[in-house]
Amino acid sequence: VMSTSWYDLKRKEEVFVNRSLTLENIKCYGFDMDYTLAVYKSPEYESLGFELLRDRLVSIGYPHELLGYTYDPTFPTRGLVYDTTYGNLLKIDSNGNILVCTHGFEYLKCGQVDEYYPNKFIQRDDTDRFYILNTLFNLSDTYLYACLVDFFTKSTRYKNCQKGFKHGDLFMSHRSMFQDVRDAMDHLHDTGTLKERTLKNLDKYVIKDPRLPVLLSHIKEVAKLFLATNSDFNYTEAIMKYLLDFPTGSKNPKKPWRSYFDLVVVDTRKPMFFAGGTVLRQVDTDTGKLRIGTYTGELQHGTVYSGGSSDIVCDLLDVRGKDILYVGDHIFGDILKSKKRQGWKTFLVVPELVKELHVWANKASESLGIISYFAVMFSHLICSNSIMVTYGMDLCYGKMGSLLRCGSTKTLFASQLLRYADIYSTSCLNLLNYPFSYLFRAPLVLLPHEAAVESQTKEQMAELSEHMLKTTNIKV
Amino acid sequence: VMSTSWYDLKRKEEVFVNRSLTLENIKCYGFDMDYTLAVYKSPEYESLGFELLRDRLVSIGYPHELLGYTYDPTFPTRGLVYDTTYGNLLKIDSNGNILVCTHGFEYLKCGQVDEYYPNKFIQRDDTDRFYILNTLFNLSDTYLYACLVDFFTKSTRYKNCQKGFKHGDLFMSHRSMFQDVRDAMDHLHDTGTLKERTLKNLDKYVIKDPRLPVLLSHIKEVAKLFLATNSDFNYTEAIMKYLLDFPTGSKNPKKPWRSYFDLVVVDTRKPMFFAGGTVLRQVDTDTGKLRIGTYTGELQHGTVYSGGSSDIVCDLLDVRGKDILYVGDHIFGDILKSKKRQGWKTFLVVPELVKELHVWANKASESLGIISYFAVMFSHLICSNSIMVTYGMDLCYGKMGSLLRCGSTKTLFASQLLRYADIYSTSCLNLLNYPFSYLFRAPLVLLPHEAAVESQTKEQMAELSEHMLKTTNIKV
Amino acid sequence: VMSTSWYDLKRKEEVFVNRSLTLENIKCYGFDMDYTLAVYKSPEYESLGFELLRDRLVSIGYPHELLGYTYDPTFPTRGLVYDTTYGNLLKIDSNGNILVCTHGFEYLKCGQVDEYYPNKFIQRDDTDRFYILNTLFNLSDTYLYACLVDFFTKSTRYKNCQKGFKHGDLFMSHRSMFQDVRDAMDHLHDTGTLKERTLKNLDKYVIKDPRLPVLLSHIKEVAKLFLATNSDFNYTEAIMKYLLDFPTGSKNPKKPWRSYFDLVVVDTRKPMFFAGGTVLRQVDTDTGKLRIGTYTGELQHGTVYSGGSSDIVCDLLDVRGKDILYVGDHIFGDILKSKKRQGWKTFLVVPELVKELHVWANKASESLGIISYFAVMFSHLICSNSIMVTYGMDLCYGKMGSLLRCGSTKTLFASQLLRYADIYSTSCLNLLNYPFSYLFRAPLVLLPHEAAVESQTKEQMAELSEHMLKTTNIKV
Amino acid sequence: VMSTSWYDLKRKEEVFVNRSLTLENIKCYGFDMDYTLAVYKSPEYESLGFELLRDRLVSIGYPHELLGYTYDPTFPTRGLVYDTTYGNLLKIDSNGNILVCTHGFEYLKCGQVDEYYPNKFIQRDDTDRFYILNTLFNLSDTYLYACLVDFFTKSTRYKNCQKGFKHGDLFMSHRSMFQDVRDAMDHLHDTGTLKERTLKNLDKYVIKDPRLPVLLSHIKEVAKLFLATNSDFNYTEAIMKYLLDFPTGSKNPKKPWRSYFDLVVVDTRKPMFFAGGTVLRQVDTDTGKLRIGTYTGELQHGTVYSGGSSDIVCDLLDVRGKDILYVGDHIFGDILKSKKRQGWKTFLVVPELVKELHVWANKASESLGIISYFAVMFSHLICSNSIMVTYGMDLCYGKMGSLLRCGSTKTLFASQLLRYADIYSTSCLNLLNYPFSYLFRAPLVLLPHEAAVESQTKEQMAELSEHMLKTTNIKV
């Protein structure tokens, strides 16, 4: 068991910066709900999702032996790619180079990867074949794909083929199993089973944090505030009530959740919301049903809307894209799209970062001492060691390694985080740790040629380093 | 005048690394010709291009006053975006945020930019409106767009409108002037005027470097070697002869340029070459004409081919994408496409880097001393200074600033360089400075949360830094 | 009330021919189910659909007054186009010219049409705006669109605007009402309400014809036979049992419905079925559930499949496209796609043809005598009369006129019928009236210049006509 | 040699009608130039085109034996489809069914067609593979494709393969030869060779008809008039001067060609002209060069414009689409696009119709007597004979048969003519034969079920026919 270091603790509460951002300029804060305001408890929630999917597959005819599998939170990592042709889970970098490849729970070795992908590379634009498991909701099915391949590979009844498994006239192609899991997902969604089970046991599945109403109250004093969720009204109502409708002390008596927001929009259908969007309707908050017709009036406080688009939100709240800080957990639906299409400022919530920071700090400090952590800044000096270090760290994150790295290579997810999220943190609550006048200052990341130092100058560098430390008045 | 520092000199000869790359694994080297093997002299070549374009415009009816403009190499920077609606030149980051905006030669201030782009942001996917001036060939027309806007804005005969200029019934829309320049470009190309003028005076326009045959000879000893150029055979023949067909000492008698390559492909039509490509033909090297029919046999040494595709090149040379290092100067046509579609290893030639390194080194060392250069590694400590420093540097690069940065923000070009070029350098000749067994090792670039250090720990950091310097046995 | 003429009776049993087709060459017959084998009783079934849709709208908040509307079978015609911007129902020709335009139940006059469509023309490729009500299932919603416009136009609570109706802050755009009806449709489908109600009262809603098992038995003796329906298995099972599982006399004892077919495919997702299609699954006919995996073996009699594609059907049955006669009622999903993508022979079932023939024959024979019917062949002579005649006929078909014509102009539907259906008839049962060796011979339709006769030659023509009648040995 | 009948003569001067059109309502006439106003002499012009293409191929390396081929006007028919995979010329119907297939000059028999196209059907949407030879300009290359296949098939040096011809390592794929011919076409166009040769010998290549200025003068009295040609100004100027700038008698003194038109637009880039179009420029008629900038003022008489779009034409002339009658020869670029995108009225010029009418009339009247022509109206009676007749006719049209038919089946071209051309004729000059108040009345084409008559009613029909003839007061 790793012990939690002091650095670790502090960093969990930090907001990290990819591009400088002045909070003072933000006139409007937007929040996604699921996994952003409402953080689901891990692994309880993923286990629930996994079991419902698994049981659905069995109910449509998959072998009963599948019921023997239970969710293992140490296996899946967000952002993996499923190859629907060969049934492999792939960890890739932003260019499509394969970093890790598993078939079921088996890690493929270099030569085995070659057989499937001679160039160790996929054309990730081929979205018909390669499915990116982008969200935290996908952890359940990521694990399920591995279970399915594991089961059929080991079963003596089935013959292994490259594109699936054969049993008499029946061919279980990876593609058709993928389709079955997608359909099971849709079934869960359409029947509301997952939501129902969640709402029945909110304490088990959703984290309630008394700081959330505090955060929203603080924001509301300085800026506009909206909620934009793909969930429907009834689910949103139940979740938000649970999260916000409680007394937070004598100073802050209980007040209805909707009063925290200037605008509440459900059924947003992100990412479409950031492009054309849909018709904006009012929700009848007594019945949960949509009012007919399109709402055209001024913004009404306490009113809940359904549908619409990011443009309509800007109009109703009278703000421009660059004045909005949007906080979400979905790298594609929330962050990439709001940034690329609308130029919004973006805050990505990355719950996995708790663990990422923990491993990074512990490994760095414990195994090799803080030196190796610092060493990376001087990687030209002792780089070969640090690479071994980072590889060594990989398994500490879980069986598929870190969300963000594979050794020194960044994952596709990390690349997107860097490109599209202005700031990111383990939780949106960490905004509480900064004044609303704060300037989130991005570290100046140097291009290789800017940082490059000739190997001949090593010694000079050491001198310069000393000089620098003196000049900047840091006591050595 | 800046003096050239010793660091500066050395760094010009370095190859910089975005992603680690083991030269030993490279089984095949590919080269683009224009601006890669054949580096055009700047600003002579751009001036020639500018004048031919300018004269063409006058010949189709543009005012004679335009002849008064001459090419100013200090104005344009590669990678700017032309807004065909408003006639502005934009420097943007990878998300479409506007970093610098000029109208003619006038820099727009914040408020003026707002009038055109209320969100200080463009949807750069709108390629119908926004034209990216991606290549070194575009420097001439980049400058011409500015001249046109400058002339019509100042001319008393024309009335300024938002989308162009009016003179009686005649409306000179920015869009139509853009189209006229594109057409003039096509005219130059179709009539071969620019090529003709270049070939007439090769010494004036093309850099001849005796190290080039040496480099190619060395490569040929260890790997396969191909040339893939969009130019036609006759131009390629003339240029390559000039570059390679000369005696390089008694040990290296003159040998025909084609003998340096295993495969020569002209008329490649990159970027299409990296997707479907075209039919592969043989070139009759006596007449320069294409042989009819498709070539289907084995690779023949000394044969020149026309068309084809990257897949055909792999087949003929019997190599896989990841075994190829492709060296080119075109970020989109050469580098992005070969990487994204085919998984090739990529080497981007960036001639401007000579100046970028010069400014960076000089400014860093002269104004503030090497400290400020180093400071960026400790940017959390003294970041506000370094930002002023980097901003101050901008004008040293030229009127539109650096190819790669605007202060601490990286340009779209820099982002693409980071994403798609594995290695990059001022010239392909710098490969000579490394043994063919070399491991180009990427610096481990930390994500913000990995590098983050609480402000409370400043002092501890200083201690750690000292500790590190000792531990790594560097003499202080 | 029109009396039914003898011609009328006979023609209802005829199969009409657009392109010659030799039944002898047909090696395989395919059938759609809904409205092809299973003909729904009109107007009972459309009334049911209308009421369920209407009630759904009221349940989501539409005014209760809508409940006052009941389905009027004399109003809608298949193939109308709904303009989601202005709420108009349009009858158009194949080029997008507007033939009839209604707003609610009001017929727009020429000047009124001009206000909406200055060119009396729509770009029907704009499928985002113009929705073609292609199928018999659409009759219910066609009528509902008219009811909605009628209600809101007349309601004193709502203000009429060009794109909808206003009531306070609420704007009922035609577009949003269109979306509500589409959603109500999806709701009906997802909840299975319409199917459930149909199955509860099959005798009320579905025509049972003892000739159907006879037809299928006869076909099976000479060719292969398949069913391809977009319906699911359970509904298909119930409907087909009702249609086929009964004793048809001592010679033909009751036999299970599936034994009539070589291949039964449900969930076909036409028109996608004719392009890429989906994975082919087996259906467990005991439970109605899909078997997991893809079926890869030989065709098994009595097995029911789900999904697949037209290519898979050809493979399983070992036939080529041109050897298949496919019988369906959906001009786009069944006929256009199977013809254009796969080159199948096509038989369009057009139940409305009973009425079309009735009106044509009656009007032609009764009002003006058979002469006017014949007259069209000599339209150059008495064309002006016949045009009045055909216009006069229009209202006999129903309020929106004929499915196929507006006066002398053919509708979009008629053009598609001519282009894509090789043969067509009121019912698939009419195949019983022809031997399986029959050559359906298309009338030789002359191009205008082939048929053209100078007006100067009228008299000569009369002579020739006489000559012809003699020569062909017809007794005058 | 066929003699020309009286009917034949007259019909050549007729305008045929697909959809009724009232000339009185036409407020604006538009004309294409090439093959519409300027009719090229056949086969002189096609021969010239063929020879220039052929010579170009030889000059780029094709065998000199090709020079032995000369243009044979009896072979090609407009509207054939070239299969770039197999090198076949196909005559198809509107659904993609193959009517005739030749390989070189060899007609493929049923079994041979099967080898290439097992379903006797092509997916004509696959425009990458199937190239439609739509225009009269394509007659030259249609013939050239046949020559190429003929030559290589017969040459003993080349081995026949399915997709081309092999000679050592050289593979002459049909696809690459197709590309060579397209490139040769572009070369002819870019160098202006064909235009130059045409202008040098206008009397040899272009028909000059004194009725043309008369027609245009008459039109100008009653309506607006514009010219819209894809040709450039200099060519247009030369051609139109030749066609119009001559004295037409004392009453009609010579007047400059541009004075006949309200608006002259060159470089129209149809079909793009009917969609987005390009920027509208003025042409400097002294130099032939474009004026810079966009013209924005009112329409100026005598001014020539370049580019623009159909929308701009409507604006400048202040007319709506349905008020325009556009006369052109290009079924796709002129007629289909103007009709489908803009709802213009259309007049298709079909020079081949002279021959089509000639054959039809001669064959019908001479071989079998006018009876067989009439017989088609009673095709149910004597259809089998008439089919033989029409097949027999096919070869009279030329080796690839009629432009419009193959036996009783209409070609793709005929289907498009019927759908998109409101009226059509051998020449635009035939408009002179009708008053400007004329109503072009379309024959009422019956749908099969409208025309259908039971075979049992033959005798009744005969009676009715007699009755009809009496009633319509035609003397028998």
Side-chain angles (χ1 to χ4, degrees), chain C residues 3 23 72 93 129 140 183 201 203 269 281 360 366:
Chain C
S3 67
L23 273 197
D72 173 3
D93 73 7
R129 171 171 174 192
S140 309
D183 290 349
N201 210 342
D203 283 328
R269 303 184 68 179
R281 307 275 171 102
W360 184 264
E366 293 187 358

Side-chain angles (χ1 to χ4, degrees), chain B residues 448-463:
Chain B
H449 68 279
E450 294 169 340
V453 183
E454 286 288 326
S455 51
Q456 300 97 308
T457 64
K458 276 181 200 168
E459 300 194 5
Q460 286 182 315
M461 273 186 48
E463 287 172 40

